[in-house]
Amino acid sequence: MSRLRRPFSSVRSRAALAATAVVAVALVAAAFALLFALRSNLTNEASGQADQFSNEVAQQIARHVPIGKLDLEGSEDHPTQVVDAKGRLLIASEDLAKITGTGVSAVRPASPPSTTAPTPTPTPTPTPTGDDDSGGDDDSGDDSDDDAPPPGAPADGTVSAPLKHRTGSATVDGRTVDYVFSERRVSDVAGGPYTVFTGSSLGPQQSAVRATTIAMAIGVPALLVVVGGVTWLVTRRALRPVEGIRREMAAITASEDLTRRVPEPQTHDEVAKLARTTNETLTALEASVDRQRRFVADASHELRSPIASLRTQLEVGEAHPELLDVPGAVADTVRLQQLAADLLLLARLDAGEQAGRTRLDLAALVREEVSQRSTDRIPVTADVRGSVEVAGSRGQLARVLGNLLDNAQRHAAGEVRATVRREGGQVVLAVADDGSGVPETERERIFERFVRLDDARSRDDGGAGLGLAIARDVAHRHGGTLEVGRAEAGGALFELRLPAAGRDPERPVPTGASALGSAPAQVLGDRRE
């Protein structure tokens, strides 16, 4: 039903319509230009013929041919009128029955045209100054003046250029046709001036224009149909892969099977790029959903252990109050609270929570954190001098420092050292221990969530495997990095690099284990949390 209501809702329909509209506009414009040029050329040709015939008639009058003896041969194709200075018709074509457009509607003169030329005033002949006898017998002189008019003959009249062209109609031999009329004036003749109107038929022009118009009226729609059809077919062929992508995406959405992929055309055009990008997006989405499921499963598993332990202790305490292990219950509660806090922080970081921009002294923060760990199993030595400021969230950076120190104390043999230094535009916080260190091949995996490298370690002795993932996430949110290497004492060396205060940190998108879309989380035991 929607297709019936919106016939041009598809891309191929709109493309075919647009191509047809563009071609239609171009063809109509070209057709009008062609018809105008054709009409103009044929009209000019008819005007030229009318000018030629009017000049022939006017030249006869200029040579003093009597009006009644004018040769109007061909006037059946060129209706002619000659009028005097008062606009009276003197002569017209013999078969002319009606005429319009010349300004003189009469087709028959009021009186028969004169067949004798009016007697002009003779031109005075100059008296020769030489001896009459000497010139009378000279037969050897130049005869170049043999064609000159005899002494006393009137001079020829003056024929003007075409004054204007007028359009009208004339009825000759019972047929009425449109004409273009040429107007000329003959002066300097007896009885003049005279005006000559001679027409040339516009019939051929009108026939040619009419035939061209009919051809275009038939050809243009046919051509538009061809253009529309070809555009439809070409667009349909070009968009066929897009339809395949759409159908496959709809099937994926309906089945929720993210392992499926859309077909990729064996081309290098935009559709192929779209298909490849769609498959890459599906791959990333599949990995993200898989990681999210693993994350939820691992989180549930981590929560289940302290909850089960706490429940067991409480049930035993309820049945036998003297056996209630209050310290164990408190420890399980604390562990449960810490795990819930870690999961809540990760959720906020995954939701895109940005770090604050408060200026704080990182050196003072280290000194404060170390001072609170004086009773720990492994003491922490702080090598911090002066003041080094960074911009960020004090709470989140304190959490990072605490996680790094906790991790170092769990794996150190007897020494943990924390240092803060300035390197160019960065502030470096380093935490080193003298434990067994981290194998080079595992240095990225330890930042994945719920990953622990020591299979022999129990969960009660270590964390849930979230501390280092949280630390790297927070580092990235502050525009910094967190990397692990080898310390001088042989243990692990964690270096947190942050932009110094006053610089605008670039916030890279969290990668690796720092985002929910990191590598699959696996609970393998705990070498590094």
Side-chain angles (χ1 to χ4, degrees), residues 226-249:
V226 172
V227 170
V230 171
T231 305
W232 173 279
L233 294 176
V234 171
T235 308
R236 180 182 180 182
R237 181 180 179 86
L239 294 179
R240 187 175 300 164
V242 177
E243 179 61 21
I245 295 173
R246 186 201 64 79
R247 286 197 302 265
E248 186 63 25
M249 288 297 294

Side-chain angles (χ1 to χ4, degrees), residues 154-505:
D156 289 347
T158 302
V159 178
S160 70
L163 300 179
K164 63 177 65 175
H165 295 95
R166 306 182 184 187
T167 57
S169 63
T171 302
V172 180
D173 289 338
R175 293 188 308 149
T176 301
V177 182
D178 292 333
Y179 287 86
V180 58
F181 294 97
S182 174
E183 178 181 350
R184 288 182 186 270
R185 184 161 297 172
V186 183
S187 54
D188 298 332
V189 292
Y194 298 97
T195 303
V196 178
F197 296 100
T198 303
S200 182
S201 175
L202 293 176
Q205 174 243 38
Q206 292 172 344
S207 298
V209 171
R210 189 180 303 110
T212 304
T213 302
I214 294 174
M216 289 184 175
I218 298 174
V220 169
L223 182 59
L224 292 179
V225 171
V226 172
V227 170
V230 171
T231 305
W232 173 279
L233 294 176
V234 171
T235 308
R236 180 182 180 182
R237 181 180 179 86
L239 294 179
R240 187 175 300 164
V242 177
E243 179 61 21
I245 295 173
R246 186 201 64 79
R247 286 197 302 265
E248 186 63 25
M249 288 297 294
I252 293 173
T253 302
S255 64
E256 298 184 357
D257 182 7
L258 295 179
T259 61
R260 301 175 62 171
R261 297 294 180 265
V262 301
E264 295 186 14
Q266 300 300 318
T267 58
H268 301 282
D269 55 10
E270 291 78 0
V271 177
K273 294 178 181 178
L274 172 64
R276 286 191 288 271
T277 303
T278 301
N279 284 335
E280 291 172 359
T281 303
L282 289 173
T283 300
L285 182 60
E286 179 188 6
S288 177
V289 171
D290 182 64
R291 286 188 290 267
Q292 185 178 18
R293 290 171 179 170
R294 290 176 179 269
F295 179 81
V296 172
D298 291 338
S300 300
H301 182 74
E302 293 292 337
L303 287 171
R304 185 174 59 220
S305 296
I307 290 176
S309 176
L310 181 60
R311 177 180 177 180
T312 300
Q313 296 182 50
L314 292 177
E315 289 177 348
V316 170
E318 181 182 13
H320 306 281
E322 69 279 3
L323 299 179
L324 177 62
D325 183 7
V326 176
V330 172
D332 286 338
T333 303
V334 171
R335 181 182 176 188
L336 186 61
Q337 182 181 15
Q338 290 176 345
L339 182 57
D342 287 345
L343 293 175
L344 179 61
L345 178 57
L346 283 174
R348 292 204 308 267
L349 293 175
D350 290 339
E353 179 181 298
Q354 297 296 327
R357 307 308 304 150
T358 305
R359 294 170 68 97
L360 59 100
D361 186 355
L362 188 60
L365 180 64
V366 172
R367 286 193 291 266
E368 178 182 348
E369 179 69 21
V370 171
S371 66
Q372 298 175 3
R373 294 175 176 263
S374 57
T375 60
D376 289 354
R377 180 182 68 87
I378 303 295
V380 180
T381 302
D383 183 7
V384 180
R385 299 181 181 86
S387 174
V388 182
E389 290 188 339
V390 296
S393 168
R394 181 182 180 84
Q396 292 184 8
L397 292 179
R399 183 66 172 276
V400 172
L401 177 59
N403 289 350
L404 294 179
L405 292 177
D406 289 341
N407 181 76
Q409 286 180 325
R410 274 196 298 272
H411 307 293
E415 179 185 11
V416 175
R417 180 176 296 274
T419 62
V420 178
R421 66 182 185 273
R422 179 80 175 259
E423 288 186 0
Q426 291 185 324
V427 175
V428 181
L429 166 62
V431 176
D433 63 64
D434 60 350
S436 58
V438 181
E440 187 173 353
T441 57
E442 304 291 345
R443 289 178 181 175
E444 283 300 316
R445 287 191 62 242
I446 62 174
F447 294 105
E448 298 174 8
R449 298 176 184 184
F450 299 108
V451 170
R452 290 187 266 186
L453 303 183
D454 189 355
D455 294 337
R457 177 179 293 276
S458 67
R459 295 185 179 275
D460 293 335
D461 293 335
L466 295 177
L468 294 180
I470 291 175
R472 176 170 273 188
D473 250 357
V474 172
H476 286 160
R477 298 297 180 191
H478 284 74
T481 60
L482 177 62
E483 303 295 338
V484 62
R486 184 175 181 82
E488 294 181 358
L493 172 64
F494 288 87
E495 286 189 338
L496 172 66
R497 295 178 179 271
L498 298 173
R503 295 172 59 87
D504 185 17

Side-chain angles (χ1 to χ4, degrees), residues 42-52 165 180 182 200 202:
L42 293 178
T43 301
N44 290 338
E45 182 179 351
S47 299
Q49 294 176 357
D51 291 340
Q52 180 180 357
H165 295 95
V180 58
S182 174
S200 182
L202 293 176

